[in-house]
């Protein structure tokens, strides 16, 4: 990539700001004619034409050719030049890492899912993460100088502005993004995993024109991502969305956050896991009973697979979690009045089994007029939401509009 624009952005000139707006417009809308763009950005056609030509010469903008219209005039369509830059997204899961590389236009060039990994809060786990990312970069055929940013998803408290991760890899006073930048030799940004999933669904998943969206990440833990007026909401320090740690029950169950009775202790993948063990120890039978009795480890994926194979006990557990979660999502709907609520995360792979009880409980417990505004949908990107979102964030963060 010609990095003239990036330098211009650093200097903060007025033209650089407009060029950033043009890139952000194309990130969200794909392509447009010069007339559409000038209307959208409230600028004269000659000004837009001049800037687009400059950006075309710099390599960022492509002429996509003539647009077919009924009226007989054939204006040219412009959009981002896919080859002018590349971005990497890294999604860290408990037992695996997913990595993707997108081009400037947002198309996936390379995607590697399920690279074995053990997430622990140790220096070794950080070293392993770096070597996995380096290996992925080494195998790329694109010009490495054109890799402009890497975004890494991490669970827990993450401040995307300062680059600090407080829950994982918080070993010294240097921001994690700086440590990764130094180790990898590329610009690195970090973000919370649920927020990245939300952004993935927003730009490349089930969100169409909706601007007020709540994404529910039901995985081992529970968290939400919030989009207000088309913008990701982070809160002051990036900690917004900790829905799982709302005190909801007097159950005396200790949550991993250190408090008792969090929503996550009854409505999450880990809650389903614990309930399965409780039920089997009381004599309930399941296709997983033998594994439990033999003390073989059971993963959340095992339970989800059992649900989808119609294991009655596991189905009951998913329904129980769906009901509990649904009654709390009803509260979110009352507070945010969203246009769309997306059910995502690992547990969403049970599809109808989790959706139906959620929908029933939402209907039962939210305010009637309010819930009519909200459609509740299943995640479209499924297990790729995190990695696609990280790639999209890596690109958007360079133009600071996400
Ligand atoms: Zn908690």
């Amino acid at each position: 990539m010609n990095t003239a624009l990036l330098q211009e952005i650093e200097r903060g000139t007025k033209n650089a700001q407009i060029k950033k707006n043009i890139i952000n417009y194309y990130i969200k809308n794909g392509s447009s004619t010069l007339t559409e763009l000038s209307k959208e950005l409230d600028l004269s056609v000659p000004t837009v034409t001049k800037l687009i030509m400059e950006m075309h010469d710099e390599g960022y903008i492509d002429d996509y050719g003539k647009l077919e219209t009924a009226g007989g005039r054939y204006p040219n369509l412009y959009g981002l030049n896919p080859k002018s830059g590349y971005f990497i997204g890294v999604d860290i899961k408990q037992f695996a890492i997913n990595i993707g590389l997108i081009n400037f236009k947002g198309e996936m060039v390379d995607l590697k899912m399920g690279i074995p990994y053990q997430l622990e809060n140790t220096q070794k786990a950080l070293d392993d993460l770096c070597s996995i990312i380096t290996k992925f970069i080494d195998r790329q055929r694109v010009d490495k100088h054109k890799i402009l940013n890497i975004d890494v998803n991490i669970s827990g408290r993450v401040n995307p502005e300062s680059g600090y991760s407080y829950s994982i890899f918080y070993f010294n006073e240097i921001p994690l993004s700086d440590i990764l930048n130094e180790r990898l030799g590329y610009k690195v940004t970090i973000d919370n995993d649920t927020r990245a999933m939300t952004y993935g669904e927003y730009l490349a998943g089930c969100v169409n024109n909706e601007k007020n969206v709540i994404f529910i990440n039901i995985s081992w833990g529970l968290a939400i991502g919030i989009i207000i007026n088309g913008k990701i909401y982070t809160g002051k320090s990036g900690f917004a969305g900790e829905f799982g740690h709302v005190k909801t029950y007097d159950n005396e169950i200790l949550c991993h956050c250190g408090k008792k009775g969090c929503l996550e202790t009854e409505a999450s993948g880990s809650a389903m896991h614990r309930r399965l063990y409780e039920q089997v120890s009381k004599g309930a039978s399941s296709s997983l009973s033998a594994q439990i009795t033999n003390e073989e480890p059971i993963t959340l994926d095992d339970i989800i697979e059992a649900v989808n194979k119609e294991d009655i006990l596991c189905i009951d557990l998913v329904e129980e979690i769906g009901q509990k979660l649904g009654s709390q999502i009803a509260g979110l709907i009352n507070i945010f009045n969203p246009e769309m609520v997306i059910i995502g995360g690992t547990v969403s792979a049970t599809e109808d089994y989790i959706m139906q009880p959620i929908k029933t409980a939402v209907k039962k417990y939210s305010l009637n007029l309010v819930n009519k505004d909200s459609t509740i949908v299943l995640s479209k990107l499924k297990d790729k939401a995190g990695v696609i979102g990280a790639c999209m964030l890596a690109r958007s963060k360079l133009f600071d509009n996400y």
Side-chain angles (χ1 to χ4, degrees):
M1 185 179 204
N2 174 337
T3 51
L5 176 58
L6 296 181
Q7 286 159 4
E8 207 179 328
I9 287 172
E10 295 264 311
R11 288 199 301 274
T13 64
K14 195 181 161 216
N15 273 0
Q17 186 53 51
I18 300 173
K19 286 178 179 178
K20 255 183 3 184
N21 293 345
I22 292 174
I23 290 173
N24 283 320
Y25 176 78
Y26 284 136
I27 285 176
K28 291 201 171 129
N29 299 284
S31 63
S32 77
T33 65
L34 293 175
T35 320
E36 280 166 357
L37 191 62
S38 71
K39 263 187 214 148
E40 203 59 44
L41 301 180
D42 200 18
L43 292 164
S44 72
V45 174
T47 304
V48 163
T49 308
K50 182 180 160 276
L51 291 173
I52 285 285
M53 290 313 144
E54 269 180 41
M55 291 170 83
H56 183 269
D57 292 345
E58 288 162 353
Y60 302 98
I61 296 290
D62 231 6
D63 181 344
Y64 291 176
K66 301 255 179 235
L67 173 74
E68 298 280 331
T69 61
R73 287 194 65 227
Y74 301 116
N76 282 43
L77 270 182
Y78 292 89
L80 300 173
N81 176 1
K83 290 181 184 149
S84 60
Y86 296 89
F87 304 89
I88 290 176
V90 181
D91 189 33
I92 308 176
K93 302 276 182 211
Q94 191 59 46
F95 303 107
I97 285 179
N98 305 322
I99 310 191
L101 176 105
I102 59 166
N103 63 25
F104 202 59
K105 207 177 161 188
E107 295 158 334
M108 193 60 78
V109 177
D110 189 20
L111 175 66
K112 203 159 186 312
M113 297 287 292
I115 302 166
Y117 180 71
Q118 179 75 49
L119 176 59
E120 281 165 0
N121 196 18
T122 60
Q123 188 63 48
K124 185 187 175 296
L126 180 57
D127 294 345
D128 291 348
L129 170 70
C130 291
S131 81
I132 287 171
I133 298 173
T134 303
K135 260 188 209 152
F136 179 81
I137 295 171
D138 284 347
R139 76 177 201 165
Q140 299 308 321
R141 299 220 179 110
V142 303
D143 179 357
K144 307 282 195 295
H145 293 105
K146 287 189 174 179
I147 297 174
L148 303 178
N149 192 21
I150 300 174
D151 192 79
V152 181
N153 296 345
I154 301 172
S155 64
R157 256 62 71 216
V158 174
N159 185 332
E161 286 278 318
S162 66
Y164 278 103
S165 162
Y166 295 98
S167 310
I168 293 163
F169 303 147
Y170 186 46
F171 301 138
N172 52 39
E173 283 304 307
I174 305 164
L176 180 61
S177 58
D178 288 357
I179 294 171
L180 291 171
N181 167 263
E182 174 126 11
R183 297 278 298 269
L184 301 169
Y186 291 89
K187 180 176 164 61
V188 178
T189 49
I190 63 170
D191 219 314
N192 170 270
D193 53 354
T194 301
R195 201 149 48 224
M197 294 164 94
T198 309
Y199 198 63
E201 290 291 348
Y202 181 60
L203 275 195
C206 52
V207 178
N208 295 311
N209 297 312
E210 293 83 2
K211 299 283 180 233
N212 295 291
V213 176
I214 304 287
F215 177 88
I216 317 277
N217 178 12
I218 325 164
S219 295
W220 187 253
L222 175 70
I224 62 169
I226 306 159
I227 290 173
I228 297 177
N229 292 332
K231 286 264 194 187
I232 285 266
Y233 180 77
T234 59
K236 181 178 186 289
S237 307
F239 308 152
E242 291 292 1
F243 185 47
H245 302 292
V246 174
K247 158 87 177 170
T248 314
Y249 302 103
D250 287 319
N251 61 9
E252 288 300 303
I253 297 172
L254 188 65
C255 181
H256 66 90
C257 72
K259 319 250 186 222
K260 284 179 182 173
C262 290
L263 176 58
E264 191 171 303
T265 65
E266 299 278 355
S268 66
S270 56
M272 193 157 76
H273 193 263
R274 189 195 66 241
R275 294 280 295 130
L276 174 67
Y277 278 75
E278 282 170 11
Q279 292 297 313
V280 168
S281 75
K282 282 184 197 157
S285 86
S286 153
S287 56
L288 299 170
S289 301
Q291 250 173 287
I292 293 174
T293 320
N294 296 336
E295 293 186 6
E296 289 166 32
I298 297 218
T299 65
L300 188 52
D301 287 334
D302 293 332
I303 303 176
I304 288 160
E305 201 186 318
V307 169
N308 291 332
K309 284 183 177 161
E310 296 177 12
D311 180 279
I312 300 292
L313 176 61
C314 291
I315 289 174
D316 286 346
L317 294 176
V318 166
E319 283 178 354
E320 183 186 307
I321 274 150
Q323 280 162 15
K324 287 178 175 170
L325 192 53
S327 66
Q328 301 304 313
I329 293 174
L332 290 179
I333 288 176
N334 289 348
I335 294 167
F336 287 100
N337 184 208
E339 296 161 271
M340 181 182 268
V341 176
I342 306 168
I343 307 299
T346 318
V347 177
S348 71
T350 59
E351 303 200 348
D352 265 0
Y353 291 116
I354 189 85
M355 286 297 269
Q356 286 315 323
I358 286 178
K359 283 185 174 173
T360 306
V362 164
K363 215 169 170 183
K364 194 167 164 189
Y365 296 109
S366 60
L367 296 169
N368 211 356
L369 197 62
V370 184
N371 79 38
K372 279 195 174 55
D373 280 346
S374 308
T375 46
I376 304 175
V377 298
L378 204 58
S379 157
K380 186 174 166 188
L381 303 181
K382 307 235 169 357
D383 58 339
K384 296 192 182 76
V387 66
I388 291 174
C391 288
M392 297 291 170
L393 281 175
R395 181 177 57 159
S396 292
K397 282 180 177 179
L398 212 56
F399 306 103
D400 68 31
N401 194 348
Y402 61 97

